[in-house]
């Protein structure tokens, strides 16, 4: 069973990458989701987006499977459980 809640994307220009902003944004997002009773949510990331996949893993997302959402393009499905 997949969670009903989904994070669609996080993106920063190169000037703002690597400064911890994504981690802070995830923390704020988790706090926001908790206010609405959300305990788990998912995000879908293109398999070829190496840095994005690494980011989601680093901040605590768990890859549950690879899927093909678009013709011939694999994506990784991650789940985050709010502590």
């Amino acid at each position: 069973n997949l969670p009903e809640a989904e994070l669609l994307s996080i993106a920063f220009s190169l000037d703002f990458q690597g400064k911890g902003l994504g981690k802070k944004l995830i923390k704020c997002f988790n706090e926001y989701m908790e206010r609405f009773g959300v305990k788990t949510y998912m995000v879908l990331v293109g398999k070829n987006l190496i840095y994005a996949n690494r980011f989601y893993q680093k901040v605590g997302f768990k890859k549950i499977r690879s899927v093909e959402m678009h013709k011939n393009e694999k994506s990784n499905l991650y789940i985050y459980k709010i502590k």
Side-chain angles (χ1 to χ4, degrees), residues 13-72:
S13 68
L14 288 175
D15 293 340
F16 294 98
Q17 291 178 13
K19 300 179 189 277
L21 297 173
K23 188 175 181 178
K24 289 178 185 177
L25 188 59
I26 290 291
K27 183 179 183 227
C28 290
F29 184 75
N30 289 344
E31 291 169 2
Y32 181 80
M33 297 301 272
E34 279 186 295
R35 283 189 231 148
F36 291 94
V38 174
K39 305 267 189 241
T40 307
Y41 61 94
M42 63 184 171
V43 66
L44 190 65
V45 183
K47 192 171 184 175
N48 64 330
L49 301 173
I50 304 300
Y51 294 113
N53 281 277
R54 192 176 300 154
F55 166 76
Y56 287 111
Q57 291 172 9
K58 185 177 177 182
V59 297
F61 284 79
K62 303 295 180 211
K63 180 180 165 188
I64 60 166
R65 67 176 163 249
S66 291
V67 296
E68 190 174 309
M69 293 300 292
H70 306 287
K71 188 177 181 182
N72 298 323

